[in-house]
Amino acid sequence: MKATQFFISTLKEAPADAEVRSHQLMMRAGMIKRLGAGIYNYMPMGLRVIRKVEAIIREEMNRAGAVELLMPVVQPAELWQETGRFDKMGPELLRVKDRHDRDFIIQPTSEEVVTDIARQELRSYKQLPKNFYHIQTKFRDERRPRFGVMRGREFTMKDAYSFDRDPAGAARSYEAMFAAYKRIFDRFGLAYRAVAADTGAIGGDLSHEFQVIADTGEDAIIYCPTSDYAANIELAEAVAPAGGRAAPTQALAKTPTPGKATCADVAALLGLPLTQTVKSLVLATDALDEAGDIVKSTVWLLLVRGDHDLNEVKAGKVEGLKGGFRFATPAEIDEHFGCKPGYLGPIGLKKPVQVIVDRTVAAMSDFVCGANDVDHHYTGANWGRDLPEPDVVADLRNVVEGDPSPDGKGVLAIQRGIEVGHVFYLGTKYSQAMNATYLDETGKPRLMEMGCYGIGVTRILGAAIEQNHDARGIIWPESIAPFTVVICPIGYDRSAEVKAAADALHDELRDAGIDVLLDDRGERPGAMFADWELIGVPHRVVISDRGLKDGKVEAQGRRDEAATAVPAAEIAAWVKGRVQV
Amino acid sequence: MKATQFFISTLKEAPADAEVRSHQLMMRAGMIKRLGAGIYNYMPMGLRVIRKVEAIIREEMNRAGAVELLMPVVQPAELWQETGRFDKMGPELLRVKDRHDRDFIIQPTSEEVVTDIARQELRSYKQLPKNFYHIQTKFRDERRPRFGVMRGREFTMKDAYSFDRDPAGAARSYEAMFAAYKRIFDRFGLAYRAVAADTGAIGGDLSHEFQVIADTGEDAIIYCPTSDYAANIELAEAVAPAGGRAAPTQALAKTPTPGKATCADVAALLGLPLTQTVKSLVLATDALDEAGDIVKSTVWLLLVRGDHDLNEVKAGKVEGLKGGFRFATPAEIDEHFGCKPGYLGPIGLKKPVQVIVDRTVAAMSDFVCGANDVDHHYTGANWGRDLPEPDVVADLRNVVEGDPSPDGKGVLAIQRGIEVGHVFYLGTKYSQAMNATYLDETGKPRLMEMGCYGIGVTRILGAAIEQNHDARGIIWPESIAPFTVVICPIGYDRSAEVKAAADALHDELRDAGIDVLLDDRGERPGAMFADWELIGVPHRVVISDRGLKDGKVEAQGRRDEAATAVPAAEIAAWVKGRVQV
C-alpha cells in the first residue's frame, strides 16, 4: 500500500487528558480519535491493529473447536431480568427504552443471550460439548472512563461460552480454552502470564487471568521465578512460616506509646522491627430477618502482622464471614474494646469477640499489640501464655515479595500486569437461573455446565503499547503491527532511481504476502522517520540516491540502535528473511 | 471443516411470523435466530455468509482507494444537534441517556461523526479527496420490523463517505464508488440493476440505487431492455407522446354518468377506452407567516390520464409545489369546483385554480373529464377550444410498461427489486451544517463536497435468497455461500472406504483453498441431503460404498436436475474445475 492511499495523521503533542503512555501514543500516532468520554473512533491505523488481533483470536478459537456466531448489541431486558442482572447491575449497564417503551440494554456481556440460544438449540447430550464465541462491540457506562482504550465505555471483546454435560467436561473445555489463550498470547508476541484467580462463590480452581506484563499495570501478579506458579493478589496463598513458633523470651509488658497509633510508629518508637508488631482489624457481620432488617450483629477481630495487608477476598472465605462483612462502627469497637482504634489488641477485651488469626501471626512470639488502652501497647506478648491459643487460624493477608511459593519451589516475586483475558468456569450459575437443560442418555433433563472466556480486543492495543514503547513511540510486536515493513524513499518524486527501487521492493514484498507500506507522501526524512518510529512499525527500509550510488539501502528494526547497510539487490530477500509471513 | 465441529440447526417448519420466503428460509436453515422484534442472533451458518459479503465489500472498497476506519455505535447527541437531526428524526432514532444524564444515540448512520472527523483531520486541499468507510452495527427503531433481516432494527451496513474539494471532484469520487459497487455486486453473483434515483433538494443526477432483482421486491425498477436506461419509479421520466396532439373530431357534450365516479367506470359506461379519460386531482399549498400560521392557501388542479398514476415526487418539482403540498380539503374543493370529487374537471370552474397538466394529457384530444356537476362528465373535450391551452405542462405521472424510454432507444419495462445499496452525492448539506472546511491553495476556507455510499450487509442475505431459492431451499451464489462444497458420505462411521475417500477429498479441497464441509454427523441420507438443499450449498459430492464399488462418486450442483457420476479418482480435479477459489 502507498501512504497517500491510506490515512496517516500524527500529532506532536498528546492531548492533556491522556494520562497514560499508551493513551498518549495512540492519540499521537493517529490510532484513535476521541468522540466522547470513553468513546473513540478507531482511525485507519488503529483499525489495522484491531483486525490483526481479531484474526489471530479467530484462527485460534476455530482451531480449538469453538464456533463463531454474532449476538446483538441491543438486547431485550427480559433475559437480563431472568438472571436478575437487569436490576442487580449498577449504572454501568446502559439501559434504553425503545419507541414502544420496552426495556433494552446495550450489551456489556452476553451470558444471558448465549444461554438463551443454548437452552433452545442444545437439547441433547449428543450436541455437547459446544463452545460459541463472538467478537462484538460492548458498552459499559464507566463512572470515570480513562486510560484511552484501557478503560473506555465502548470497546470490542471476544467472548466465548462453553456448554458441557458435567463438571469434568467443563474442565476439559476450560483446558482447551486455556491452551488456545496461550497460543493467542504467544502469537501476539507479548510478555504475559496466565495467573490463577479467585473463583468466588463457585469454588474450584478454574479461573485464570491473562495478564500482559507492564510496569504501569493496575494489577499485582504474584509469581515464583523458579517454578510456574502465578496467581493474582486476591488468590496467591500466604503459607505458614517454616519452622513454626519460637519459644517466648520476653515478659508481657504494657508500654506507653503516646500518639503512636500505627504499627510503623510504634515499632519506630520502641526500636523494634515492624515484623514484630501485630495489627488489629475489627469487622462486623449482620444477621438479617426475612424482611432484611438486622436482628443481630457479631464483632470479629482479625490479626495480621504489622507489615502485612488484609486480603478481603481471603477474609471472605473464613467460616462466619462468607456471607459478607463490614468494618465495625466506632460504637461497636468501643463496646467490645473500650478503646479507640490505634491501640486495639486481643488481650484484655471488654467484651468477647470472635478472633481470627493470620497464619504468620499465629507463628509469632514476643509480639507487640495494642493494649486496649489509649496511648499504650503490649510488648512481649505470647500465645498460650498471655492470651489463649488462637481458635481460628487462616490465610488472611496479601503475599509479599520473598514469601515462600505455595508450591514449595522457591520464593514469590511480584510484578505489575494488565488484565486482557480471563477464562472462567461458571458452573450452573446461568443455566440454573435460565433453566438451560439438556436431556441425558436416560432422557432426564440436566443443567448445562458453563464456562466463559473473554479477551479485550481493543484493550490489547493499550496493553501492548504499555509494554512496548520508548521515548520515540510505539514498538509493535510484528504480528499485530499496523504494517510490518515501511519503505521510506528519500526523494520519491525527484529521483527516478529511488522511485523505481522503492516501487520494486514494495511490489516484491507485497507479492510475498508481507504487509508493506511505501511512504510516498514526500515528507522530509526527519519527519518521515519520526512518524514511523511514533507509529511503531517493526521494520524500516530507507532508499536514497546516496545509498543507491553505492548499491546500498538502509534497513533498521524498530528496536535496533542503528541501521544496517544492505546491498540494494539483496534487500527483498533480507527483509523476507527477517519477518514472519 | 467437519460438520460436528461446526453448528448446524435446521427446522422443518418456519415460525408463523416469518412472512417472506427469505425470512422463512433463513430461520429454517439456522442462519438467524430471533432475539426480539427485528433483532436477530446471526448463527454460525449465517455469519459465514456475512463474513464473505464483508470480505468482498472490503476488497473492492480498498481497491477503489477508500480507507477503512471504525466509528462507534453509541454516539454523543451534540453532533446530531449540530445538524438538527437529533430533533428532526423521528422515533426510529434510538435515544439513550448515560449515567450522567447526557444524551446519546445508537447510530442509524454516521454522517455527523465522519464529518466531525473530516473537519478536524482534513485541513488542506492536499489531503483531498478522501473516502472513509466502515462496516458497523446500526440500529433503526422501525415501528414495525418485518421480513427478517430485510427490515430489522439492528443490522450491519457498510457506509462510505467521500470528501472532495469541489463538485467535479465529488463526481469523480462518485464514479469511482459506482464502479466499485458494480464490481461488488458482480462478485456477489446476484442479478441487479444500478437504478438512477431522485436526488431531492440537492439536485443533479448523482444518485443510484443498487437493486437486487426479485419478484418479491418492494421497489419498482423501470428499465429499457434495449438500452442501459434504468431508474426508480420516482425518477423515471414519462416523455411526451410522439406525434403531438390530434385535431378535434368530436363536439363537447355533457353526458350523464350517474354514480360513475371513477375514470374506469365512466369509460365502461360510455364504451370508450380508459386512455380517453382524464383524472382530476386537487392539491393545495399553504403560505405560512413567521409564526408558522397559514396566511394563504392556494388550490391546484392536476390532470393525468385516467389509466395513469400521479407521481408525487415529480409533482413536488413543479414551480409552486416545491415547498410541499397536501391534498385539498372537501371545503376547498367545493369552494372552487362547486362539486364533490368524482365529477371534477378543468371546464366550468366555480373559482379559478392553478392548473398543471401532465405531458400525456396535454397531447390528448376528444377527451372525457368531469363536468363539475354531480353524475355528469364531458366527452369530446379539446384544448384551445373548450378550455384554454394549458399554462403549465409537466411530467406528473409514474411511467408504465410500454412508455418510450427517455433515451429514445426503446420502450420501458418494469421489474421488482430490493434496494441493497445506494450511492448518493450529498453536496455540502453536512459540511455546511457542521462547518467542515478545508483550506484551498490560496489559504481560503471552503466547504467540502461530500458523497455517501451504503450497502446493507445483512440485507444482502435476504435479497440474495429472495432472488435465489426453490421449493427445497436456498440457492446461494458461490461467492457468498456459507460453504462452497459439501461432502456427504453415506456410512462415514461404518465404512472405512467411504471414510477414507471422504477425508481425502475434504483435505485435498481444503488445501486447494476451497471452502469445504464434510458432513460427519451420521444423518440418514435423505435428511442429510434435505439439510444441504435447504442451506443451499452450491456443490455436493455424495460418497457411498455402492458408488465406490464401481469407482464412482456422485456430484451435483444445487441447480442441477440430477447427479453426475464422476470417477472417484478424478473427483477432486472435477470439483476444482467447477468452483471459483
Side-chain angles (χ1 to χ4, degrees):
Chain A
M1 183 180 288
K2 303 266 177 82
T4 52
Q5 290 163 357
F6 191 58
F7 183 74
I8 296 162
S9 175
T10 56
L11 295 173
K12 287 250 182 301
E13 302 288 338
D17 69 335
E19 300 168 73
V20 296
R21 204 76 181 112
S22 58
H23 188 189
Q24 294 164 356
L25 288 171
M26 287 184 78
M27 297 290 288
R28 287 190 53 211
M31 303 255 165
I32 53 173
K33 188 164 186 67
R34 185 181 185 279
L35 180 61
I39 301 178
Y40 294 91
N41 294 299
Y42 288 92
M43 298 300 285
M45 195 68 80
L47 185 61
R48 288 185 73 89
V49 180
I50 290 178
R51 293 283 181 247
K52 291 193 181 183
V53 167
E54 289 178 347
I56 289 172
I57 292 174
R58 207 167 258 136
E59 279 179 31
E60 296 300 338
M61 291 301 293
N62 293 348
R63 190 197 308 273
V67 183
E68 188 174 6
L69 45 63
L70 187 64
M71 294 176 277
V73 172
V74 179
Q75 303 182 347
E78 285 81 356
L79 294 176
W80 289 71
Q81 283 156 345
E82 275 193 60
T83 61
R85 292 210 292 180
F86 187 76
D87 298 316
K88 257 185 280 178
M89 279 187 77
E92 70 274 12
L93 180 65
L94 191 61
R95 296 162 174 89
V96 54
K97 281 182 187 292
D98 76 356
R99 65 192 294 155
H100 301 298
D101 214 37
R102 283 185 292 242
D103 288 312
F104 288 81
I105 60 98
I106 310 299
Q107 76 130 0
T109 178
S110 284
E111 279 84 358
E112 280 79 357
V113 172
V114 80
T115 306
D116 181 53
I117 290 172
R119 70 181 168 183
Q120 294 181 58
E121 293 286 342
L122 305 176
R123 277 165 294 199
S124 157
Y125 69 95
K126 292 179 194 164
Q127 294 173 281
L128 301 179
K130 194 55 73 182
N131 185 328
F132 290 122
Y133 76 98
H134 75 162
I135 298 178
Q136 180 59 299
T137 302
K138 312 183 112 182
F139 199 92
R140 199 170 292 161
D141 200 0
E142 294 276 354
R143 195 177 58 80
R144 197 186 154 205
R146 57 201 295 208
F147 307 150
V149 300
M150 303 258 272
R151 194 175 298 166
R153 296 201 286 177
E154 183 167 319
F155 53 98
T156 302
M157 274 195 79
K158 186 282 296 176
D159 286 298
Y161 304 94
S162 64
F163 298 89
D164 274 275
R165 301 175 57 177
D166 50 35
R172 283 189 296 273
S173 292
Y174 183 93
E175 291 306 325
M177 279 297 103
F178 187 87
Y181 271 46
K182 289 214 284 190
R183 286 193 299 270
I184 288 168
F185 284 86
D186 285 344
R187 287 185 61 186
F188 287 158
L190 298 174
Y192 71 96
R193 277 182 199 281
V195 175
D198 186 49
T199 51
I202 292 172
D205 55 1
L206 297 181
S207 172
H208 284 85
E209 296 165 356
F210 280 73
Q211 295 265 2
V212 167
I213 308 303
D215 294 341
T216 54
E218 286 188 287
D219 295 337
I221 303 171
I222 315 304
Y223 70 105
C224 175
T226 51
S227 77
D228 61 0
Y229 181 83
N232 69 9
I233 192 85
E234 281 82 29
L235 187 70
E237 186 184 358
V239 297
R245 189 195 298 161
T249 63
Q250 299 174 12
L252 185 68
K254 187 167 173 178
T255 309
T257 51
K260 307 301 180 190
T262 69
C263 287
D265 287 347
V266 172
L269 175 74
L270 303 178
L272 291 170
L274 186 56
T275 54
Q276 204 62 32
T277 64
V278 168
K279 186 156 48 181
S280 296
L281 298 143
V282 189
L283 305 181
T285 54
D286 299 316
L288 306 180
D289 64 13
E290 283 181 9
D293 295 321
I294 297 173
V295 289
K296 179 170 179 281
S297 293
T298 308
V299 169
W300 304 72
L301 172 63
L302 274 63
L303 300 177
V304 298
R305 202 169 73 183
D307 60 325
H308 286 159
D309 288 324
L310 177 70
N311 181 314
E312 294 187 29
V313 172
K314 291 178 177 179
K317 292 177 182 172
V318 176
E319 202 59 52
L321 299 181
K322 283 180 181 171
F325 57 82
R326 58 180 171 82
F327 285 90
T329 63
E332 286 170 330
I333 291 173
D334 187 63
E335 180 189 348
H336 291 81
F337 295 84
C339 176
K340 69 174 184 180
Y343 307 93
L344 307 180
I347 301 171
L349 291 164
K350 186 170 162 192
K351 186 173 165 185
V353 298
Q354 301 279 330
V355 181
I356 307 170
V357 179
D358 180 64
R359 288 167 174 172
T360 305
V361 173
M364 289 169 75
S365 54
D366 298 336
F367 58 83
V368 176
C369 60
N372 295 321
D373 184 3
V374 172
D375 293 342
H376 289 82
H377 281 77
Y378 283 118
T379 60
N382 281 283
W383 295 107
R385 186 190 75 180
D386 309 317
L387 72 173
E389 284 292 342
D391 271 348
V392 182
V393 177
D395 176 14
L396 289 182
R397 67 169 173 96
N398 289 338
V399 297
V400 294
E401 296 240 16
D403 274 344
S405 178
D407 62 5
K409 296 180 180 168
V411 294
L412 295 178
I414 299 182
Q415 60 189 176
R416 310 299 301 178
I418 300 166
E419 186 188 342
V420 286
H422 200 159
V423 290
F424 198 93
Y425 169 54
L426 286 169
T428 57
K429 178 176 173 186
Y430 290 93
S431 55
Q432 190 147 38
M434 297 180 66
N435 196 31
T437 61
Y438 68 95
L439 297 180
D440 70 9
E441 291 91 331
T442 67
K444 196 182 134 202
R446 295 164 64 106
L447 292 174
M448 291 186 248
E449 293 280 335
M450 290 174 59
C452 68
Y453 317 93
I455 295 179
V457 171
T458 39
R459 198 164 213 234
I460 291 284
L461 277 64
I465 296 172
E466 289 294 332
Q467 182 179 89
N468 299 284
H469 66 268
D470 61 17
R472 291 171 293 156
I474 303 167
I475 307 173
W476 287 110
E478 201 171 292
S479 63
I480 60 173
F483 296 97
T484 308
V485 180
V486 60
I487 301 171
C488 295
I490 297 177
Y492 186 74
D493 289 338
R494 282 194 318 268
S495 161
E497 290 73 24
V498 166
K499 181 172 190 308
D503 287 347
L505 179 61
H506 169 270
D507 292 355
E508 183 166 353
L509 295 180
R510 180 198 60 199
D511 295 346
I514 294 172
D515 194 7
V516 60
L517 182 123
L518 192 163
D519 191 344
D520 60 344
R521 292 177 298 162
E523 294 281 332
R524 287 176 303 100
M528 179 164 54
F529 298 165
D531 271 355
W532 294 111
E533 284 171 350
L534 172 60
I535 293 165
V537 169
H539 302 278
R540 182 176 81 197
V541 178
V542 178
I543 300 178
S544 66
D545 272 324
R546 196 161 57 176
L548 289 179
K549 266 182 208 148
D550 301 330
K552 303 273 174 146
V553 300
E554 290 201 333
Q556 186 165 3
R558 178 64 181 81
R559 289 187 193 271
D560 295 348
E561 292 284 322
T564 304
V566 178
E570 293 168 20
I571 182 64
W574 195 91
V575 171
K576 286 186 209 170
R578 270 158 187 79
V579 304
Q580 312 158 5
V581 176
Chain B
M1 182 179 287
K2 303 267 177 81
T4 52
Q5 289 162 357
F6 190 59
F7 182 75
I8 296 161
S9 174
T10 56
L11 295 173
K12 287 250 183 302
E13 302 288 339
D17 69 337
E19 300 167 73
V20 295
R21 203 75 181 112
S22 59
H23 188 188
Q24 293 165 355
L25 288 172
M26 287 183 79
M27 297 290 288
R28 286 189 54 210
M31 302 255 163
I32 53 174
K33 190 167 183 68
R34 186 181 184 280
L35 180 60
I39 302 178
Y40 294 90
N41 294 298
Y42 288 91
M43 298 300 284
M45 194 68 79
L47 185 60
R48 289 184 74 88
V49 181
I50 291 178
R51 294 283 183 246
K52 292 193 180 182
V53 167
E54 289 178 347
I56 289 172
I57 292 174
R58 209 167 255 135
E59 280 180 29
E60 295 300 337
M61 291 301 292
N62 293 348
R63 189 196 308 272
V67 184
E68 188 175 6
L69 44 63
L70 187 64
M71 294 176 276
V73 173
V74 180
Q75 303 183 346
E78 284 81 357
L79 294 176
W80 289 70
Q81 283 156 346
E82 275 192 61
T83 61
R85 291 210 293 180
F86 186 76
D87 297 316
K88 256 184 282 179
M89 280 186 77
E92 70 274 12
L93 180 64
L94 191 61
R95 296 163 175 89
V96 54
K97 281 180 187 293
D98 77 355
R99 65 192 295 156
H100 301 298
D101 214 35
R102 284 186 292 243
D103 288 312
F104 288 81
I105 60 98
I106 309 300
Q107 75 130 1
T109 178
S110 283
E111 280 85 357
E112 280 80 358
V113 172
V114 80
T115 306
D116 182 52
I117 291 172
R119 70 180 168 184
Q120 293 181 61
E121 294 286 343
L122 305 176
R123 276 164 296 197
S124 159
Y125 69 95
K126 292 179 194 164
Q127 293 173 284
L128 300 177
K130 194 55 74 183
N131 185 328
F132 290 123
Y133 77 97
H134 75 163
I135 298 178
Q136 180 60 298
T137 303
K138 310 183 112 181
F139 199 91
R140 199 171 291 163
D141 199 359
E142 294 276 355
R143 194 178 58 82
R144 198 186 154 203
R146 57 201 294 208
F147 305 150
V149 300
M150 303 258 273
R151 195 174 297 168
R153 295 202 286 177
E154 184 168 319
F155 53 98
T156 302
M157 274 194 79
K158 187 281 296 176
D159 286 298
Y161 304 94
S162 64
F163 298 89
D164 273 275
R165 301 174 59 176
D166 50 34
R172 284 190 296 274
S173 292
Y174 183 93
E175 291 306 324
M177 280 296 102
F178 187 88
Y181 271 47
K182 288 213 286 189
R183 286 194 299 271
I184 289 168
F185 283 87
D186 286 344
R187 286 184 62 183
F188 287 157
L190 298 174
Y192 71 95
R193 277 184 199 279
V195 175
D198 187 48
T199 51
I202 291 173
D205 55 0
L206 297 181
S207 172
H208 284 86
E209 296 165 354
F210 280 73
Q211 295 265 2
V212 168
I213 309 302
D215 293 341
T216 53
E218 285 189 287
D219 295 336
I221 301 171
I222 316 304
Y223 70 104
C224 175
T226 52
S227 77
D228 60 1
Y229 181 84
N232 69 11
I233 192 83
E234 282 82 28
L235 188 69
E237 186 184 358
V239 297
R245 190 195 296 162
T249 63
Q250 301 175 10
L252 183 70
K254 187 166 172 178
T255 308
T257 50
K260 307 302 181 190
T262 68
C263 287
D265 287 348
V266 171
L269 174 73
L270 303 178
L272 291 171
L274 186 55
T275 55
Q276 203 62 32
T277 64
V278 168
K279 186 157 45 182
S280 296
L281 298 144
V282 188
L283 306 182
T285 54
D286 301 314
L288 307 180
D289 64 13
E290 282 180 7
D293 294 321
I294 297 173
V295 288
K296 179 169 179 280
S297 294
T298 306
V299 170
W300 305 73
L301 172 62
L302 275 63
L303 301 177
V304 297
R305 202 169 72 183
D307 58 325
H308 286 158
D309 288 324
L310 178 70
N311 181 315
E312 294 187 28
V313 172
K314 291 178 177 179
K317 293 177 181 172
V318 176
E319 203 59 51
L321 299 180
K322 283 180 181 170
F325 57 82
R326 56 179 173 82
F327 284 90
T329 63
E332 287 169 330
I333 291 173
D334 188 61
E335 180 191 348
H336 291 81
F337 295 85
C339 177
K340 69 175 186 180
Y343 307 94
L344 307 180
I347 301 171
L349 292 164
K350 186 170 164 193
K351 186 173 165 186
V353 297
Q354 302 279 332
V355 181
I356 306 172
V357 179
D358 181 63
R359 288 169 172 171
T360 305
V361 173
M364 290 170 74
S365 53
D366 298 335
F367 58 84
V368 176
C369 60
N372 295 321
D373 183 5
V374 171
D375 292 343
H376 289 82
H377 281 77
Y378 283 117
T379 60
N382 280 282
W383 295 106
R385 185 190 77 179
D386 307 318
L387 72 172
E389 283 293 340
D391 271 348
V392 183
V393 176
D395 176 14
L396 291 181
R397 67 171 174 95
N398 289 339
V399 296
V400 294
E401 297 240 16
D403 275 342
S405 178
D407 63 4
K409 296 180 181 169
V411 294
L412 296 177
I414 299 182
Q415 61 189 177
R416 309 300 300 177
I418 300 166
E419 186 190 341
V420 286
H422 200 162
V423 290
F424 198 92
Y425 169 53
L426 286 169
T428 57
K429 177 176 175 186
Y430 291 93
S431 54
Q432 191 148 37
M434 297 180 66
N435 196 31
T437 60
Y438 68 96
L439 298 179
D440 69 10
E441 290 92 331
T442 67
K444 196 182 135 204
R446 295 164 63 105
L447 291 175
M448 291 187 250
E449 293 281 333
M450 291 175 58
C452 69
Y453 316 94
I455 295 179
V457 172
T458 39
R459 198 165 213 234
I460 291 284
L461 277 63
I465 296 171
E466 288 295 332
Q467 184 179 88
N468 300 283
H469 66 266
D470 62 14
R472 291 170 294 156
I474 303 167
I475 308 173
W476 288 109
E478 202 171 292
S479 63
I480 60 173
F483 296 96
T484 309
V485 180
V486 59
I487 301 170
C488 296
I490 297 177
Y492 185 74
D493 289 338
R494 284 193 318 269
S495 160
E497 289 73 23
V498 166
K499 182 173 189 309
D503 287 347
L505 179 61
H506 170 270
D507 292 356
E508 183 166 352
L509 295 180
R510 180 197 61 199
D511 294 346
I514 293 171
D515 194 9
V516 58
L517 183 122
L518 193 164
D519 192 345
D520 61 343
R521 293 176 298 163
E523 295 282 331
R524 286 176 304 101
M528 178 162 55
F529 298 164
D531 271 356
W532 295 111
E533 285 170 349
L534 172 60
I535 293 165
V537 169
H539 303 277
R540 181 176 81 197
V541 178
V542 178
I543 300 178
S544 66
D545 272 324
R546 196 160 53 174
L548 289 178
K549 265 181 209 149
D550 301 330
K552 302 273 177 149
V553 300
E554 290 201 333
Q556 186 165 4
R558 178 64 181 81
R559 289 187 192 272
D560 296 347
E561 292 284 322
T564 304
V566 178
E570 294 167 22
I571 183 62
W574 197 92
V575 171
K576 286 185 209 171
R578 271 161 186 76
V579 305
Q580 310 157 5
V581 176

